[in-house]
Amino acid sequence: MAPGAISLPPSANGTDGTNGTKEIINGTNLPTKTQNGLPIPAGLDASKLIITKSPSPRAVPDAASAFATEDTICTDHMITCAWDRTRGWSAPELKPFGPFSLMPTASVLHYATECFEGLKVYRGFDGRLRLFRPDCNTRRFLRSAARVSLPAFDPDELEKLLVALVAFDGPKWLPRDEPGAFLYLRPALIGTQSTLGVCTPTKALLFVTLSYMKKMDSPGGLKLCTSPEDTVRAWAGGFGHAKLGANYGPSLVAAQAARDKGYDQILWLYGPEGYCTEAGASNFMVVWTDKESGKTQIVTAPLDDSIILDGITRRSLLQLARDRLGDEVEVVEKKYTMNEVIEAQREGRLRETFAVGTAYFVTPVSVVHHRGIDIHIDIGDGYGGKYALLFTQWLKDIMYGGEDHPWGLVVPEEA
Ligand code: PLP
């Protein structure tokens, strides 16, 4: 195999490794297949991956310079794959990271036909690279795409492409002698059709970058400020449950106003009742002693009204709690209000609150500001209470190889 060539996942075999900069796997672009003279759109197919090595690979930045500028530093390569309604998905490409061109009239620029995902790749303490439940991300991505009229794809094929990019750039950008480090995978899908007029895109582009991301789960606890009374992040029947760019841009005004007042993120409330939903770009959980039953409960907003994102960290943490904490704790997915949180705090029943997500991991919340009052929550030595610490440890073990678990997908690397 050529130097730097990768082991692709099973369906992407057939590398005709050459010593040049370009490796073609199973041919070039997909021929348009036809039936009765009509084209059959091709499905996303990772085995058609075309690999073009970067002619000018960059130096891996040291810790001080990784976040020294506003530009997110990406690795040497990215994945792109074009789609059009007639031909379907083209052969995906793994190619040098860099800009691509779009027509100024592209659908995404005017009608927000965009969705994305976010997941990390971890360099384990056993020296191996792992993704955490990428199948959940690719399936959620598919649901998001459907919500905004973008094309469908086989999520397992996308997972193979994610693995291919990580296998290609991971060894250099996440060196084996730096266990505990991670990089961030950002798949995105945009409508590229250059027609002004509100219509379903007939052309789209899927791309995936691998980049640095700041560690957000630093000790000290998050300070949250509840959303302004006249602002709502998502609503029943809307698209809060989908990972669309259109959910995030409009949230920035409130987030900046909160920052200006010394808070880190918004705790988004919903409706006149003030239901707790999400904290910034993460799910939100409270641990309290239930007023009626006296039981310890982990409570978080439900998925059934489609207001919150079905976070993979949320889902994993609830599953672990159900599997491992047994009768000690009740897991409750239900609507609960800010007033109930305040009441629990006043009555000494509020034990912990934390934000959970890929970026924030499990970050304890130390303060929630609501309509003029600050509610303080104990975060122990800065890393959170009993349950935040337990979840952090369990998830870290899976992500960094401390525990052999089906949620940790090992990415193959050259020896
Ligand atoms: N909620 C929102 C709005 C988010 O953007 C995210 C992050 O992706 C989450 C929750 C947490 O989801 P996950 O655990 O899949 O990262």
Side-chain angles (χ1 to χ4, degrees):
M1 199 179 274
I6 56 163
S7 307
L8 286 165
S11 79
N13 278 340
T15 309
D16 69 341
T18 67
N19 288 322
T21 55
K22 195 160 195 163
E23 282 172 40
I24 310 272
I25 297 175
N26 284 354
T28 55
N29 249 319
L30 295 181
T32 307
K33 289 191 185 142
T34 56
Q35 190 177 40
N36 301 330
L38 293 172
I40 307 171
L44 183 65
D45 185 349
S47 73
K48 307 287 183 209
L49 186 65
I50 299 168
I51 299 180
T52 308
K53 275 191 195 160
S54 170
S56 47
R58 281 154 303 129
V60 176
D62 56 30
S65 45
F67 303 104
T69 71
E70 285 189 345
D71 295 325
T72 293
I73 296 183
C74 291
T75 62
D76 294 317
H77 299 91
M78 62 182 184
I79 287 200
T80 63
C81 189
W83 172 89
D84 85 46
R85 191 163 59 192
T86 314
R87 290 166 58 85
W89 290 98
S90 66
E93 291 189 62
L94 188 157
K95 61 190 193 189
F97 173 80
F100 44 67
S101 64
L102 274 181
M103 295 303 278
T105 50
S107 168
V108 61
L109 300 177
H110 302 272
Y111 311 117
T113 46
E114 191 263 3
C115 60
F116 66 98
E117 266 306 322
L119 64 162
K120 288 176 178 166
V121 51
Y122 305 89
R123 174 60 78 185
F125 289 94
D126 59 351
R128 303 213 273 176
L129 284 179
R130 276 184 189 76
L131 293 167
F132 182 73
R133 309 188 77 181
D135 54 319
C136 296
N137 289 93
T138 54
R139 279 159 179 74
R140 187 172 68 186
F141 196 36
L142 183 60
R143 294 196 297 274
S144 298
R147 182 64 184 85
V148 70
S149 299
L150 284 166
F153 50 84
D154 179 345
D156 294 334
E157 294 302 303
L158 177 60
E159 183 178 319
K160 289 174 195 163
L161 293 175
L162 302 182
V163 168
L165 180 59
V166 169
F168 206 78
D169 275 353
K172 169 179 163 184
W173 291 79
L174 276 179
R176 278 209 167 91
D177 59 1
E178 286 180 28
F182 64 82
L183 289 172
Y184 182 70
L185 271 167
R186 166 53 60 86
L189 180 56
I190 58 175
T192 52
Q193 181 187 345
S194 58
T195 314
L196 285 183
V198 184
C199 57
T200 303
T202 57
K203 288 188 171 64
L205 181 72
L206 167 73
F207 55 95
V208 186
T209 57
L210 182 58
S211 67
Y212 281 88
M213 176 191 251
K214 274 192 185 147
K215 205 171 173 297
M216 318 264 258
D217 54 319
S218 314
L222 276 181
K223 288 184 177 169
L224 303 180
C225 179
T226 55
S227 45
E229 266 164 299
D230 61 353
T231 309
V232 62
R233 187 197 90 96
W235 50 92
F239 44 90
H241 62 294
K243 211 161 162 62
L244 311 187
N247 273 320
Y248 295 82
S251 73
L252 298 176
V253 172
Q256 188 56 49
R259 259 180 226 123
D260 293 343
K261 288 191 257 165
Y263 299 95
D264 300 303
Q265 277 297 346
I266 295 284
L267 174 58
W268 291 101
L269 302 184
Y270 182 66
E273 300 86 351
Y275 291 119
C276 297
T277 63
E278 304 201 73
S282 59
N283 294 115
F284 181 69
M285 298 189 176
V286 303
V287 182
W288 65 27
T289 307
D290 183 53
K291 207 177 164 124
E292 271 86 53
S293 66
K295 283 191 173 160
T296 304
Q297 294 182 331
I298 296 178
V299 185
T300 197
L303 301 177
D304 49 21
D305 53 9
S306 300
I307 288 176
I308 66 159
L309 191 74
D310 177 2
I312 288 143
T313 321
R314 171 191 182 280
R315 188 196 296 197
S316 306
L317 200 146
L318 298 183
Q319 187 69 49
L320 289 172
R322 286 184 174 113
D323 292 349
R324 299 184 180 184
L325 293 173
D327 292 340
E328 179 184 334
V329 165
E330 236 175 36
V331 174
V332 183
E333 296 174 71
K334 68 162 192 181
K335 285 180 188 297
Y336 64 103
T337 65
M338 192 58 215
N339 284 339
E340 288 176 85
V341 175
I342 294 171
E343 189 190 26
Q345 195 258 0
R346 288 201 178 128
E347 294 174 358
R349 292 184 291 107
L350 185 62
R351 299 186 46 190
E352 295 181 39
T353 56
F354 34 84
V356 305
T358 299
Y360 283 94
F361 199 34
V362 183
T363 301
V365 172
S366 56
V367 175
V368 181
H369 178 89
H370 180 61
R371 314 281 182 257
I373 51 161
D374 275 341
I375 300 142
H376 293 271
I377 305 128
D378 184 21
I379 58 162
D381 58 1
Y383 290 89
K386 171 180 169 182
Y387 294 104
L389 289 176
L390 258 185
F391 293 129
T392 302
Q393 193 55 50
W394 286 340
L395 290 176
K396 272 194 175 157
D397 281 348
I398 298 171
M399 290 160 174
Y400 290 101
E403 178 188 344
D404 203 12
H405 193 284
W407 290 350
L409 179 78
V410 174
V411 176
E413 291 175 272
E414 292 287 289

